[in-house]
Amino acid sequence: MSGEITLLVNPAAGRGNADGAALRAARVLRGAGFLVRGVVGEDARDAVRRARAAVAGGTGALIAVGGDGIVSLALQAVAGTGTPLGIVPAGTGNDTARACGLPLGDPDAAGEVAAAALKAGTTRALDLGRVGESWFASVLASGFDSRVNDRGNRMRHPRGRLRYDLAMVAELAGLRTVPYRMRLDDGPWREIDATLIAVGNGPSYGGGMRICAGARLDDGLFDITVVGEVDRRTLLRVFPRVYRGTHLGHPAVSVFRAARVTLEAPGVTGYADGEPLGRLPLTAECVRGAVRLLAAPAPGPAGD
């Protein structure tokens, strides 16, 4: 494995704390004997271009420093390549890192996890979702939650999770069901009136909202959470339960499992890992073992 490691940094993540996190993680990696090169893109497209160039150039690993947004950009460069991915969580959401059990709020500890895995040559195989040429690690959102995401992205204040909570309250004024058509694997089409449909490779989005609480990153399947017709009062009452995953027991909520799902609905934009994918229809495929995470192997067949 190459001794040069590339840090892909989003300096704006974590309210501007990612630069400091990158310096701390780099110090740990250099102390472990690795050469560390930092990459900061001028924008998302440039960041992916630079990350892909580093992978093509033979970097020993690509380590994303920031939140789920920068992890998503890193995935576009490493998925399917064999180049391992490291994560130093330094954002406000950190859902992918949380699902992987990586240290949150401690760049030194996250750097030590990556350095130990590099030294030992151990990685953990993780599934990814794929829509066309785009990869995602956590959740593909559609319907009410994607509208909340869209509104939250347009808001300048406040920062962090509170922004999306306020965006949700604003979107409640236009709460409505969407006429979906959904197909799981090669099964029949289902016509569903739903408030939202979330396709989970991992369990959470939005900084710990466990919308697909049972989803695992190493089982080759999505968990698909369908929230049917609910009124505003019910949604507000059930919403706090999403942080514990207990919303899945509500009568309006159904869960399906599949390796491939196609969603059709008029006027709905899909978001994956918080990034827009485009209007439905979209087909998502769960690709088993698509990325190698710098971490101790998981017990059982999911590890190396």
Side-chain angles (χ1 to χ4, degrees), residues 109-129:
E112 288 167 2
V113 168
L118 286 164
K119 284 279 192 180
T122 59
T123 58
R124 185 186 306 167
L126 300 181
D127 305 338
L128 294 177

mmCIF file of all heavy atoms in Angstrom, residues 109-129:
data_model
loop_
_atom_site.group_PDB
_atom_site.id
_atom_site.type_symbol
_atom_site.label_atom_id
_atom_site.label_comp_id
_atom_site.label_asym_id
_atom_site.label_seq_id
_atom_site.Cartn_x
_atom_site.Cartn_y
_atom_site.Cartn_z
ATOM 1 N N ALA A 109 -8.736 10.667 17.458
ATOM 2 C CA ALA A 109 -9.159 9.267 17.539
ATOM 3 C C ALA A 109 -9.517 8.725 16.166
ATOM 4 O O ALA A 109 -9.192 7.571 15.832
ATOM 5 C CB ALA A 109 -10.340 9.131 18.487
ATOM 6 N N ALA A 110 -10.208 9.539 15.334
ATOM 7 C CA ALA A 110 -10.554 9.092 13.986
ATOM 8 C C ALA A 110 -9.293 8.872 13.158
ATOM 9 O O ALA A 110 -9.207 7.909 12.375
ATOM 10 C CB ALA A 110 -11.466 10.110 13.313
ATOM 11 N N GLY A 111 -8.296 9.749 13.319
ATOM 12 C CA GLY A 111 -7.028 9.564 12.623
ATOM 13 C C GLY A 111 -6.322 8.310 13.074
ATOM 14 O O GLY A 111 -5.707 7.590 12.269
ATOM 15 N N GLU A 112 -6.402 8.000 14.371
ATOM 16 C CA GLU A 112 -5.779 6.784 14.895
ATOM 17 C C GLU A 112 -6.442 5.529 14.336
ATOM 18 O O GLU A 112 -5.759 4.524 14.054
ATOM 19 C CB GLU A 112 -5.848 6.790 16.422
ATOM 20 C CG GLU A 112 -4.906 7.807 17.056
ATOM 21 C CD GLU A 112 -5.195 8.038 18.525
ATOM 22 O OE1 GLU A 112 -6.108 7.360 19.054
ATOM 23 O OE2 GLU A 112 -4.527 8.896 19.135
ATOM 24 N N VAL A 113 -7.783 5.562 14.167
ATOM 25 C CA VAL A 113 -8.486 4.422 13.564
ATOM 26 C C VAL A 113 -7.971 4.187 12.144
ATOM 27 O O VAL A 113 -7.663 3.045 11.752
ATOM 28 C CB VAL A 113 -10.003 4.660 13.556
ATOM 29 C CG1 VAL A 113 -10.715 3.623 12.679
ATOM 30 C CG2 VAL A 113 -10.563 4.612 14.971
ATOM 31 N N ALA A 114 -7.860 5.280 11.371
ATOM 32 C CA ALA A 114 -7.385 5.147 9.990
ATOM 33 C C ALA A 114 -5.937 4.663 9.955
ATOM 34 O O ALA A 114 -5.582 3.775 9.163
ATOM 35 C CB ALA A 114 -7.521 6.484 9.264
ATOM 36 N N ALA A 115 -5.081 5.230 10.821
ATOM 37 C CA ALA A 115 -3.669 4.848 10.825
ATOM 38 C C ALA A 115 -3.501 3.381 11.213
ATOM 39 O O ALA A 115 -2.703 2.647 10.603
ATOM 40 C CB ALA A 115 -2.898 5.745 11.792
ATOM 41 N N ALA A 116 -4.262 2.933 12.216
ATOM 42 C CA ALA A 116 -4.160 1.538 12.643
ATOM 43 C C ALA A 116 -4.591 0.587 11.534
ATOM 44 O O ALA A 116 -3.959 -0.466 11.317
ATOM 45 C CB ALA A 116 -5.005 1.317 13.896
ATOM 46 N N ALA A 117 -5.661 0.938 10.837
ATOM 47 C CA ALA A 117 -6.131 0.088 9.740
ATOM 48 C C ALA A 117 -5.117 0.042 8.607
ATOM 49 O O ALA A 117 -4.868 -1.028 8.018
ATOM 50 C CB ALA A 117 -7.482 0.589 9.239
ATOM 51 N N LEU A 118 -4.505 1.195 8.306
ATOM 52 C CA LEU A 118 -3.490 1.223 7.253
ATOM 53 C C LEU A 118 -2.271 0.392 7.643
ATOM 54 O O LEU A 118 -1.719 -0.335 6.821
ATOM 55 C CB LEU A 118 -3.082 2.672 6.975
ATOM 56 C CG LEU A 118 -4.108 3.520 6.207
ATOM 57 C CD1 LEU A 118 -3.780 4.997 6.341
ATOM 58 C CD2 LEU A 118 -4.133 3.112 4.736
ATOM 59 N N LYS A 119 -1.854 0.515 8.890
ATOM 60 C CA LYS A 119 -0.691 -0.239 9.360
ATOM 61 C C LYS A 119 -0.962 -1.750 9.299
ATOM 62 O O LYS A 119 -0.097 -2.547 8.915
ATOM 63 C CB LYS A 119 -0.372 0.167 10.800
ATOM 64 C CG LYS A 119 0.308 1.517 10.929
ATOM 65 C CD LYS A 119 1.791 1.404 10.642
ATOM 66 C CE LYS A 119 2.528 2.669 11.044
ATOM 67 N NZ LYS A 119 3.977 2.576 10.759
ATOM 68 N N ALA A 120 -2.169 -2.144 9.722
ATOM 69 C CA ALA A 120 -2.507 -3.568 9.785
ATOM 70 C C ALA A 120 -2.988 -4.113 8.445
ATOM 71 O O ALA A 120 -3.089 -5.334 8.275
ATOM 72 C CB ALA A 120 -3.587 -3.794 10.841
ATOM 73 N N GLY A 121 -3.297 -3.218 7.504
ATOM 74 C CA GLY A 121 -3.839 -3.664 6.220
ATOM 75 C C GLY A 121 -5.245 -4.210 6.330
ATOM 76 O O GLY A 121 -5.653 -5.066 5.541
ATOM 77 N N THR A 122 -6.010 -3.706 7.321
ATOM 78 C CA THR A 122 -7.373 -4.178 7.511
ATOM 79 C C THR A 122 -8.370 -3.130 7.036
ATOM 80 O O THR A 122 -8.183 -1.934 7.242
ATOM 81 C CB THR A 122 -7.662 -4.485 8.990
ATOM 82 O OG1 THR A 122 -7.458 -3.294 9.763
ATOM 83 C CG2 THR A 122 -6.760 -5.580 9.494
ATOM 84 N N THR A 123 -9.423 -3.583 6.410
ATOM 85 C CA THR A 123 -10.528 -2.722 6.010
ATOM 86 C C THR A 123 -11.838 -3.455 6.251
ATOM 87 O O THR A 123 -11.854 -4.668 6.456
ATOM 88 C CB THR A 123 -10.445 -2.310 4.525
ATOM 89 O OG1 THR A 123 -10.424 -3.487 3.708
ATOM 90 C CG2 THR A 123 -9.230 -1.449 4.239
ATOM 91 N N ARG A 124 -12.916 -2.715 6.199
ATOM 92 C CA ARG A 124 -14.246 -3.283 6.354
ATOM 93 C C ARG A 124 -15.022 -3.068 5.057
ATOM 94 O O ARG A 124 -15.101 -1.941 4.559
ATOM 95 C CB ARG A 124 -14.961 -2.613 7.521
ATOM 96 C CG ARG A 124 -16.319 -3.227 7.845
ATOM 97 C CD ARG A 124 -17.027 -2.419 8.927
ATOM 98 N NE ARG A 124 -16.194 -2.254 10.111
ATOM 99 C CZ ARG A 124 -16.465 -1.390 11.088
ATOM 100 N NH1 ARG A 124 -17.529 -0.606 11.003
ATOM 101 N NH2 ARG A 124 -15.666 -1.303 12.132
ATOM 102 N N ALA A 125 -15.587 -4.125 4.514
ATOM 103 C CA ALA A 125 -16.357 -4.023 3.280
ATOM 104 C C ALA A 125 -17.732 -3.446 3.576
ATOM 105 O O ALA A 125 -18.457 -3.959 4.431
ATOM 106 C CB ALA A 125 -16.494 -5.393 2.622
ATOM 107 N N LEU A 126 -18.092 -2.380 2.872
ATOM 108 C CA LEU A 126 -19.388 -1.745 3.039
ATOM 109 C C LEU A 126 -20.142 -1.720 1.721
ATOM 110 O O LEU A 126 -19.544 -1.539 0.652
ATOM 111 C CB LEU A 126 -19.236 -0.302 3.537
ATOM 112 C CG LEU A 126 -18.535 -0.072 4.871
ATOM 113 C CD1 LEU A 126 -18.519 1.423 5.176
ATOM 114 C CD2 LEU A 126 -19.191 -0.854 5.993
ATOM 115 N N ASP A 127 -21.458 -1.891 1.815
ATOM 116 C CA ASP A 127 -22.317 -1.720 0.644
ATOM 117 C C ASP A 127 -22.501 -0.235 0.361
ATOM 118 O O ASP A 127 -22.407 0.612 1.255
ATOM 119 C CB ASP A 127 -23.696 -2.324 0.893
ATOM 120 C CG ASP A 127 -23.661 -3.771 1.304
ATOM 121 O OD1 ASP A 127 -22.653 -4.455 1.006
ATOM 122 O OD2 ASP A 127 -24.643 -4.227 1.929
ATOM 123 N N LEU A 128 -22.823 0.065 -0.890
ATOM 124 C CA LEU A 128 -23.220 1.413 -1.284
ATOM 125 C C LEU A 128 -24.460 1.324 -2.154
ATOM 126 O O LEU A 128 -24.695 0.316 -2.828
ATOM 127 C CB LEU A 128 -22.114 2.122 -2.067
ATOM 128 C CG LEU A 128 -20.819 2.460 -1.333
ATOM 129 C CD1 LEU A 128 -19.823 3.086 -2.302
ATOM 130 C CD2 LEU A 128 -21.077 3.381 -0.148
ATOM 131 N N GLY A 129 -25.249 2.381 -2.144
ATOM 132 C CA GLY A 129 -26.328 2.506 -3.106
ATOM 133 C C GLY A 129 -25.809 3.191 -4.359
ATOM 134 O O GLY A 129 -24.923 4.055 -4.287
#
